[in-house]
Amino acid sequence: MQVTIATLEALRTGFKRDFQNGLTKATPQYEAFSTPVTSTTKLETYGFLGDFPIFREWIGEKRIKSMEEKAYQLINRDFEVTRGIHKNKIRDDNLGLYGPLVNGWGDSSGQLKDRLAFEALKDGHVRPCYDGQNYFDTDHPVGNGVVSNMSGDNSRDPWYLIDASQALKPILLQTRQEPTFDMIVDPQSDHVFKTGEFLMGAEARAAAGYTFWQLAHRCTGPINEANYVAACQAMESITDDEGEPLGIKPTHIIVGKSNKSAARNLFKKMNLAGGESNIYFEDVVILEARRLP
């Protein structure tokens, strides 16, 4: 095979197709608990998160509560994968493994949003949200007191209750650049002259953070009736700073491999061992996360 611009353009077109085919193979799970936003700069500032949206009765003058700008910022992260193809491989038509390789890049790129969303969820107890506390914390300030959105005795891998029925979901998934593939096709480029390699690769820019902590609860105890009821009550009793109930109700439970059997036992069995009806049957949707332990 001759190394010409036409040959290289044809390779780039084929590899782009392989990359896109890989992208379509991904079966992401993040949509269930994440709110996607488009980013236009290196970082985005979300000032509106200081006030949970609630519609109040209008009596007398409007109660004007300015949105408290906490300057919650989310900085985009850069992701890339790069590989060189030596010109002699092109001349020898020895390219059989490169198509599957690029296809795998596409598959991995298609899972990037899942990686970021679950990473944010998993690290929520050590990463801050808009109020300066960690997203999962025992002392979120509310009115004159504090509220916790975590529980458990650390005897189990964490599981999470979330309310995905609100306009904003718990995880904020910010995208600056969708995964894109490209390849150098200039035989006169400095890199080709020095190394004989034509570089190809993919890039993306994105980040994941948090919206309202009130929408999620982290538990490290067993998945059983007592812990589930306690977590639900903790979420459903949350109010705003004036004592107005926020109307939070868990819709999903997110579990990893170690907790999925317990979740199925509590929420998928219509009847208990004694034959009586299971009042928690399908009380929430189970999301069995591939990226959680």
Side-chain angles (χ1 to χ4, degrees):
M1 183 184 296
Q2 295 298 312
V3 181
T4 65
I5 292 180
T7 298
L8 294 169
E9 286 284 6
L11 285 176
R12 178 166 65 176
T13 299
F15 287 146
K16 278 188 175 181
R17 183 170 57 249
D18 291 331
F19 184 79
Q20 290 299 320
N21 288 340
L23 275 174
T24 61
K25 285 166 48 180
T27 54
Q29 297 181 304
Y30 70 88
E31 294 103 327
F33 62 101
S34 303
T35 295
V37 293
T38 300
S39 172
T40 57
T41 62
K42 177 181 178 180
L43 63 85
E44 299 292 338
T45 300
Y46 300 92
F48 64 89
L49 291 175
D51 193 17
F52 194 97
I54 186 171
F55 205 60
R56 299 180 176 88
E57 183 179 6
W58 183 1
I59 300 176
E61 290 188 6
K62 285 185 177 179
R63 179 168 45 176
I64 300 175
K65 180 178 180 180
S66 60
M67 290 185 176
E68 195 174 353
E69 295 222 6
K70 302 283 187 176
Y72 179 64
Q73 294 184 327
L74 195 54
I75 301 174
N76 289 305
R77 297 160 60 185
D78 299 333
F79 300 89
E80 65 85 26
V81 59
T82 305
R83 184 72 179 264
I85 303 180
H86 199 278
K87 59 185 177 181
N88 287 342
K89 288 188 177 291
I90 300 174
R91 286 170 176 160
D92 296 340
D93 201 12
N94 188 16
L95 301 172
L97 294 179
Y98 284 96
L101 174 70
V102 175
N103 184 273
W105 290 352
D107 188 15
S108 178
S109 299
Q111 298 179 45
L112 176 60
K113 292 180 180 180
D114 253 18
R115 285 171 50 194
L116 291 173
F118 281 107
E119 177 186 275
L121 186 69
K122 185 176 63 175
D123 294 343
H125 64 299
V126 294
R127 287 177 53 182
C129 63
Y130 70 89
D131 65 358
Q133 302 296 119
N134 290 330
Y135 183 71
F136 294 113
D137 213 329
T138 58
D139 51 358
H140 288 286
V142 175
N144 296 320
V146 294
V147 173
S148 173
N149 67 335
M150 58 189 301
S151 59
D153 55 6
N154 294 313
S155 64
R156 298 291 192 277
D157 289 319
W159 48 275
Y160 309 88
L161 285 181
I162 66 166
D163 182 356
S165 67
Q166 306 291 330
L168 290 177
K169 296 177 182 178
I171 299 300
L172 186 65
L173 192 56
Q174 176 177 292
T175 301
R176 178 70 176 89
Q177 177 187 342
E178 295 285 356
T180 56
F181 174 89
D182 208 350
M183 175 180 172
I184 293 175
V185 295
D186 180 9
Q188 305 304 319
S189 75
D190 289 344
H191 185 80
V192 174
F193 181 79
K194 292 176 182 178
T195 67
E197 288 184 329
F198 292 90
L199 294 178
M200 64 176 180
E203 297 180 358
R205 298 176 68 191
Y210 308 102
T211 64
F212 299 109
W213 59 265
Q214 296 93 331
L215 299 176
H217 186 99
R218 177 183 188 265
C219 183
T220 57
I223 297 180
N224 55 34
E225 178 179 355
N227 286 336
Y228 172 64
V229 170
C232 286
Q233 290 177 345
M235 294 181 70
E236 293 168 0
S237 64
I238 297 175
T239 69
D240 67 4
D241 289 340
E242 285 77 37
E244 294 266 4
L246 297 182
I248 303 296
K249 186 181 187 308
T251 61
H252 291 66
I253 183 171
I254 302 178
V255 297
K257 294 178 283 292
S258 62
N259 284 316
K260 68 179 182 181
S261 293
R264 291 176 183 178
N265 282 331
L266 187 57
F267 302 112
K268 285 296 187 182
K269 290 185 176 180
M270 294 183 64
N271 300 102
L272 303 178
E276 63 270 32
S277 296
N278 176 15
I279 62 173
Y280 302 109
F281 174 66
E282 295 187 343
D283 206 39
V284 290
V285 176
I286 302 175
L287 195 163
E288 297 179 2
R290 296 185 293 267
R291 295 186 174 274
L292 292 179

